[in-house]
Amino acid sequence: MIHSLFLINASGDIFLEKHWKSVVSRSVCDYFFEAQERATEPENVPPVIPTPHHYLISVLRHRIYFVAVIQSEVPPLFVIEFLHRVVDTFQDYFGVCTEAAIKDNVVVVYELLEEMLDNGFPLATESNILKELIKPPTILRTMVNTITGSTNVGEQLPTGQLSVVPWRRTGVKYTNNEAYFDVVEEIDAIIDKSGSTITAEIQGVIDACVKLTGMPDLTLSFMNPRLLDDVSFHPCVRFKRWEAERILSFIPPDGNFRLLSYHVSSQNLVAIPVYVKHNITFREGSSQGRFDLTLGPKQTMGKAVESVLVSSQLPRGVLNANLNPSQGTYTFDPVTKLLTWDVGKINPQKLPSLKGTMNLQAGASKPDENPTINIQFKIQQMAISGLKVNRLDMYGEKYKPFKGIKYMTKAGKFQVRT
Amino acid sequence: MNGGLSSLRSEAAGAMRTVLVSAESLQLTLKPELTQEEQALTQSGRKAKEAHTAGNEDLKEMLESNKESLKLEAMKRIVQLISKGKKSSDLFPAVVKNVASKNIELKKLVYVYLVRYAEEQQDLALLSISTFQRALKDPNQFIRASALRVLSSIRVPIIVPIMMLAIKEAASDLSPYVRKTSAHAIQKLYSLDADQKEHLIEVIEKLLKDKSTLVAGSVVMAFEEVCPDRIDLIHKNYRKLCNLLVDVEEWGQVVIINMLTRYARTQFTSPWKEDAVFDDNEKAFYDSDSEEKQGQKEAKPYIMDPDHRLLLRNTKPLLQSRNTAVVMAVAQLYWHLAPKHEVSIVTKSLVRLLRSHREVQYVVLENIATMSIQRKGMFEPYMKSFYVRSTDATHIKTLKLEILTNLANEANISTILREFQTYVKSQDKAFAAATIQAIGRCATNISEVTDTCLNGLVLLLSNRDETVVAESVVVIKKLLQTQPTQHSDIIKHMAKLFDNITVPMARASILWLMGEYCERVPKIAPDVLRKMAKSFTSEEDIVKLQTVNLAAKLYLTNSKQTKLLTQYILNLGKYDQNYDIRDRTRFIRQLIVPNEKSGTLNKYARRILLASKPAPVLESAFKGQLGQTPLPWTNEMDRDRFQLGTLSHSLNVKAAGYQELSDWPAVAPDPSVRNVEVIEPVREWAPSVGKAKQPKSDDKFYSDDEEKEEEGSGSGSEDSSSSSSGSSSSSEESGSESEEESSEESGKTSSDSGKSSSGSEASSSESEPEQKKKKRTKKATQRKSKQSAADSDSDENGSGPVGKTSSSSAESSSESDSEEDSDVDSPPPPSPPQKKTVAKTKPKVEVKTKKEVSLLDLDDFSPAPPSAPKSSVFSSSLLSDLEGLSLSNVSSAMQVTTPSFGPVKTYELLHHMTGKGFSAKYHFPRQPCLYQPSMVAVQVILTNSSDHSLEEIHIGDRSPASLNIHCFNTVERLEPGASVTVSMGIDFSDSTQAANFQLCTKEDQFSVSIQPAVGELLMPSTMTEPDFCNEQKKLMGMNETSASITMATANTSKQNISKQVLSVANVGVVSSGQNDLQRFAGRTVSSGALVLVTLELREASTALLTINTEKSVMASMLLRDLKQALSQS
């Protein structure tokens, strides 16, 4: 399956290589570099690249290309999914997954990769098991290790791989037993010029942070489970129970994990929480364009729209923009032509606006396309679909855990066409 | 912050080193460290190389020191070297010495080093082998496993025999983890020495039999790598793999699903041909389980192999996996294996994957693109998910566009075109150009919009962007070519715009169009040529060429006007700088201008130049190859020749090691190869598809079920004597199978599977009691039929008694049997249980088959619970359907009071589905209650069909609260499979109001209710005829209820009448002297009120039924019941 892995940074240096079978020369990456050169943007590098003897499958995350070398037929998603899992694991271990972090922890990285694949086939990818095998580095542990000569490698051999619940390690102990669930919903929408919604859908996830002693067995029920249209679960969720009763029943992994992700059925109309009034015009023959943007809240059920960030890719002809925000700050990058406006919170009494002029290249004809506006925002304490958790119960353990549920709505890919 | 911390850390490390290391070694360690850094900066150079070796010298020294920490430090630095791809093989001897170190991390790092360099230093690597051999015998399973892992990763051919031995040993290790490692080692050994294949296949065969979920994925991987063609090894393990699938780790699932897809294509017949009828009727799938459907297709003998169905059913829940690779694997499995109308269930999950990472999107979109060509309907509802966002990467935009184009049809084209309009304006010009091509494709595919598209494209001609204009012209050209008869005005319009168009390709295209259709625009074409003559020298080559072409064509059609112009242009071309143009000019001149040198060719010039040209086909890039040359081994260029989800499909090139999906076999290979070990010898049916063709009409309809049933019991008998895991729903097998395993790990697996799918457990257990029940029923049947034979001149048909006493579902069915077609043959003795469970669909089906085919699938729904349609989309197994079915049968059994001659009529109290494996039935023994005289005695049979023992079974809360129940003693413990009969008493207070109470086990509570038939609230009372008459006289008037009834002919005999009456009511016969009068007497249990029943026979099988009692409500109810019982046989 996966033969080798190369990590390539933004400037095209291979800074880590790992081979699970015989060694593949790093010159194989030349094909990748070729493809990279052809692509105008880093994202445009095709994920699957054939070379005469190998196939390169790559993912790009955190400005690092993870390039896997494949020698024979394998489902590409298998490799892609695995590479993403590797990145997730790194992130889990080092907090961030940057070139520097990987270089600093190269030994741990190597140990991890060694455990995750055997002969190119995934072996242990569950973060709980890995953490039993290899302790995540912390500053304290690094200090202690240097003094005592002890190591990051777990002394105890892991039991998780053989246990009944492979995703949970045994012997977990906490003084404060807590279980937090975040219901986060994202609105993906395309709004057309006139303000009508072309497409809008809600995707949600429930992320959990469970720190409970022992082997708790949790059930989570919803007030309105019918809202959930298409769901995918963490392996811990008992599927049959969901089928039969629409109840999430599971023995949670220890720590942070994504319990489920869902799609809200398309029958439900999606409430769009913000509106945009825009007037972006370029006049023929003039080297100036007008830019006028106003944001306002809409259907937010009284909750404040926060952390609003507007970004827009202005046409190539725009040289500069002289804008005046009523609140927040804006930046315009004359090279990438990217305009970003950090609005902050929308005050319904005084709607934020951004007005001014854009300077065009002298003599250039007017751009025939108006830019698309991407909006990010957050609304706390509300799940826009109306999903509500009914109750959370714990079985199997005696103590009483502290439980918390938080709702949040965010913009996913929220675009306004102008 | 971070930098600060790391510097702090290195400071601390440095300080520690000072403490630990003597001054001398400090010098030695620090100095080269600096040079190494230098070297890292300068990368190469002789000086640096020297420093590098010096550094390695230093590492060597550190490795040879006595201090663990030093060694560890050295190893860490070596690993860093390895990670950067730098050479450190010269350290091999020093490193390999540490292989036996006690320090786990050190050991691990040494392993890393060994695996990397052993190939280069084979002799030295041998030094480490004995350590691994020792570790292979370690009591700790993880040490054994890791030893095997490293041993097999060292690619040294000399140790092949040692590896072989180790693998064989590990394959029978007690620990599943070690067995998994051995499965991995198989592939490694195979790639090292392919000669070992035969031996390795033996090991694979052995490991395939393994029942641990841990091993399954790895061994299938090994199978795929070593011997993918040995499909015969899979047969025996097929069902096990299907059943284990849900519990296998996600990566293993992908491999197993892909392998099973291939397997299924060789073993089952195609489900596709027969499905043509159902195509597009996708709804039909949702709640009908296709057995029924197939059962009905009398004319078409296609019946899905139960194993085929098993695979589809067991993979379906995996669509909910968080692992995108698993979802894709299931999707491709459905695409390649499922009947056409079932494929669409994967749509939603695939669309969900589009939310995932960019790379995942890309691969999924590629697959959807292929699917959407063949099956528009699948993705059309999700069209909006394919709308392009400005932030998408270009290749994703293009794929989305592709899919949108595929999805376009008359209904949605206007929406799609509107969307395309936005894309055309995109800043990404390559994408805009692709959109124009897409519009062109839509225009050709959907004739309604061709004009609209053309007009839109013409508008785009005035676009400022060159690529957009060029692309539009090219597309318009293609479009016009497909319909050359009209559209001369478009050509005129293009000619008008010609001056403004600067893109050479577009200009060339317009010129070509002018030339091609110059006869339609006779006035304009020469004018355009005139303009071109003026600007010829400044044009691009491609335009010049087309100008020459245009000139030539005009010369041939309209030489009067253009002769001079043509000559002028040809002259210009003659002296052009580009030799292509000079060539073309010379060629054209010879061709069209007649002179002495040009021979006969001249005559044909017109036919050569103005031949009608075939229109280009605007087709999906996914249908054809993406601009690549056709491959030698196939004429087809379609992507769909590759299995979906594979690398080959993604690249549209056959990748190394790609396994072709074979075509469906015309005739399925013997399915019995998948039967495991013993098939129950008693069975009479051979498990073959031919079963369906049995002449007997009633067999035909459920032969599919029968087969299932049989398969189930076949595997049941394999598992053990307990005959679990039977019955048609197959998802349960996973539960019961793992249940059977006795070894330690299997225990874990089973509980594991239990945890992850408690539902399946419930269903698994369900099979058990069902079989028992059947056995019981069978005995009862025999007993009963004897009884009835002895009892009277029973003229009931054979199926009658069976129906009455068999399970509730059978009851209603047999009834309908006798109602609808009373001449059903009595079923052959060994089969009644199976017959009965399935017979319920039979009568309906029989009626249906006479109707049209289209009605059939509508009728499919009828056995299923009516509320199901949407929710059962999710149901992975028959589970919910079964539940619904059996529940609905229960209720019907309670309402319909079939005449039963014996007092033992059993009612369902708690169905095992609702009771999670705990079931209860009750009957009225018709004995005086021991506890209180006013109570009705009820006997309850508690059965535990779950896989764990139930404790503390007792009765909990009851309602109405006043209800007086004498509870049975708490049943302390009920073992799995066991059942116990307990008696209780209930005071119904002479009303038929149900007694509701809770049946509790230690963990669970189930609300149940007992609703007595009115006849059960009576007790027989013995009295003489005169007494009877006296009492009757007292109860006249208000207390008398009577009705005249028409009796069924079967009931005219005295004996039969009393039998029917007794079956309904618990009354006593009063011996009578009159032949035409029959009397029965009873008292209500609670209040002791008399109930007198008189039946006066009249002519022509009518009778007057009179009931005398104070309890008038009871009287009317009893009258109704009796009337019903007597009027039917």
Side-chain angles (χ1 to χ4, degrees), chain B residues 39 53 83 143 153 162 213 344 461 464 662 690 710 794 850:
Chain B
Q39 180 245 341
T53 36
S83 76
I143 294 182
S153 300
I162 299 177
T213 50
S344 49
L461 291 177
R464 242 185 316 278
S662 67
E710 180 178 50
S794 160
K850 287 164 200 148

Side-chain angles (χ1 to χ4, degrees), chain B residues 48-59:
Chain B
K49 222 165 218 171
E50 278 168 21
H52 181 60
T53 36
N56 285 354
E57 276 307 314
D58 161 62
L59 287 171

Side-chain angles (χ1 to χ4, degrees), chain A residues 85-97:
Chain A
R85 205 62 73 80
V86 169
V87 181
D88 292 341
T89 311
F90 287 172
Q91 218 163 3
D92 197 21
Y93 262 74
F94 314 128
V96 285
C97 180

Side-chain angles (χ1 to χ4, degrees), chain B residues 171-286:
Chain B
S172 37
D173 199 290
L174 273 182
S175 153
Y177 187 66
V178 177
R179 296 204 296 274
K180 183 189 177 78
T181 320
S182 80
H184 284 239
I186 290 171
Q187 310 164 48
K188 300 182 204 168
L189 182 54
Y190 180 68
S191 61
L192 190 63
D193 181 4
D195 295 342
Q196 300 293 322
K197 189 171 177 179
E198 286 314 310
H199 297 285
L200 289 174
I201 291 177
E202 279 169 34
V203 184
I204 289 174
E205 196 172 357
K206 180 174 178 183
L207 284 172
L208 275 172
K209 294 203 181 91
D210 204 301
K211 290 201 169 76
S212 163
T213 50
L214 215 53
V215 184
S218 303
V219 69
V220 171
M221 190 63 229
F223 169 84
E224 291 281 76
E225 206 106 312
V226 178
C227 51
D229 45 340
R230 286 292 303 276
I231 217 93
D232 56 301
L233 295 181
I234 302 300
H235 292 322
K236 292 269 181 255
N237 302 295
Y238 173 82
R239 287 178 197 152
K240 185 198 72 192
L241 284 173
C242 286
N243 290 325
L244 285 184
L245 199 53
V246 187
D247 297 319
V248 174
E249 35 87 39
E250 41 197 355
W251 310 107
Q253 285 172 346
V254 179
V255 178
I256 296 177
I257 292 171
N258 282 323
M259 187 275 290
L260 289 179
T261 311
R262 222 156 37 78
Y263 176 85
R265 282 289 279 258
T266 62
Q267 297 301 317
F268 305 129
T269 48
S270 166
W272 292 343
K273 276 174 246 156
E274 279 72 20
D275 276 316
V277 187
F278 297 99
D279 229 344
D280 294 325
N281 188 1
E282 269 136 21
K283 277 269 160 61
F285 161 73
Y286 289 135

Side-chain angles (χ1 to χ4, degrees), chain A residues 44-49 56-59 80, chain B residues 358-360 362-363 395:
Chain A
N44 286 353
V45 180
V48 186
I49 301 167
L56 304 178
I57 297 185
S58 63
V59 305
I80 289 169
Chain B
R358 184 179 58 90
E359 296 84 6
V360 175
Y362 175 74
V363 177
H395 50 251

Side-chain angles (χ1 to χ4, degrees), chain B residues 940-1045:
Chain B
V940 183
I941 304 159
L942 305 167
T943 309
N944 179 6
S945 45
S946 65
D947 60 350
H948 53 277
S949 55
L950 297 166
E951 290 178 355
E952 291 179 30
I953 303 169
H954 60 279
I955 286 177
D957 295 340
R958 57 196 81 163
S959 81
S962 60
L963 189 70
N964 193 2
I965 297 183
H966 188 280
C967 310
F968 54 83
N969 292 333
T970 302
V971 178
E972 287 304 337
R973 189 176 176 82
L974 192 57
E975 292 299 333
S979 64
V980 62
T981 309
V982 291
S983 26
M984 53 192 291
I986 302 174
D987 190 349
F988 285 106
S989 318
D990 292 346
S991 83
T992 50
Q993 200 184 355
N996 298 312
F997 55 90
Q998 283 190 314
L999 202 55
C1000 309
T1001 65
K1002 197 176 180 187
E1003 296 96 355
D1004 277 303
Q1005 302 181 330
F1006 308 101
S1007 299
V1008 294
S1009 76
I1010 294 182
Q1011 180 160 36
V1014 65
E1016 304 293 347
L1017 300 174
L1018 304 177
M1019 289 219 305
S1021 152
T1022 44
M1023 52 176 72
T1024 58
E1025 202 173 354
D1027 283 350
F1028 185 92
C1029 294
N1030 278 339
E1031 292 297 336
Q1032 196 175 17
K1033 275 179 196 135
K1034 290 180 198 164
L1035 294 166
M1036 297 296 267
M1038 290 262 295
N1039 295 330
E1040 186 176 272
T1041 324
S1042 68
S1044 105
I1045 55 173

Side-chain angles (χ1 to χ4, degrees), chain A residues 139-190:
Chain A
I139 294 160
L140 185 68
R141 189 171 296 128
T142 320
M143 303 253 297
V144 171
N145 287 354
T146 332
I147 299 166
T148 60
S150 63
T151 64
N152 279 332
V153 177
E155 295 290 328
Q156 296 288 307
L157 290 160
T159 47
Q161 261 162 318
L162 295 178
S163 81
V164 185
V165 271
W167 53 86
R168 187 175 177 90
R169 59 198 173 95
T170 46
V172 185
K173 272 214 172 70
Y174 288 102
T175 42
N176 296 323
N177 288 297
E178 342 167 272
Y180 296 109
F181 294 87
D182 289 359
V183 180
V184 182
E185 296 196 334
E186 294 194 353
I187 306 175
D188 287 357
I190 301 178

Side-chain angles (χ1 to χ4, degrees), chain B residues 80-142:
Chain B
Q80 281 182 356
L81 289 181
I82 295 177
S83 76
K84 286 182 190 135
K86 287 185 187 133
K87 239 180 154 38
S88 56
S89 53
D90 52 325
L91 289 165
F92 201 92
V95 173
V96 83
K97 273 183 220 160
N98 292 304
V99 75
S101 165
K102 290 272 179 296
N103 183 318
I104 296 179
E105 181 163 30
L106 182 58
K107 205 168 170 169
K108 280 204 170 169
L109 296 179
V110 172
Y111 284 175
V112 169
Y113 184 87
L114 253 178
V115 172
R116 171 72 178 76
Y117 284 113
E119 216 170 356
E120 296 173 26
Q121 308 264 341
Q122 306 215 346
D123 295 342
L124 288 168
L126 294 179
L127 294 174
S128 61
I129 303 300
S130 64
T131 321
F132 296 125
Q133 279 180 306
R134 217 175 313 130
L136 281 173
K137 302 266 185 288
D138 196 282
N140 185 322
Q141 49 177 341
F142 286 99

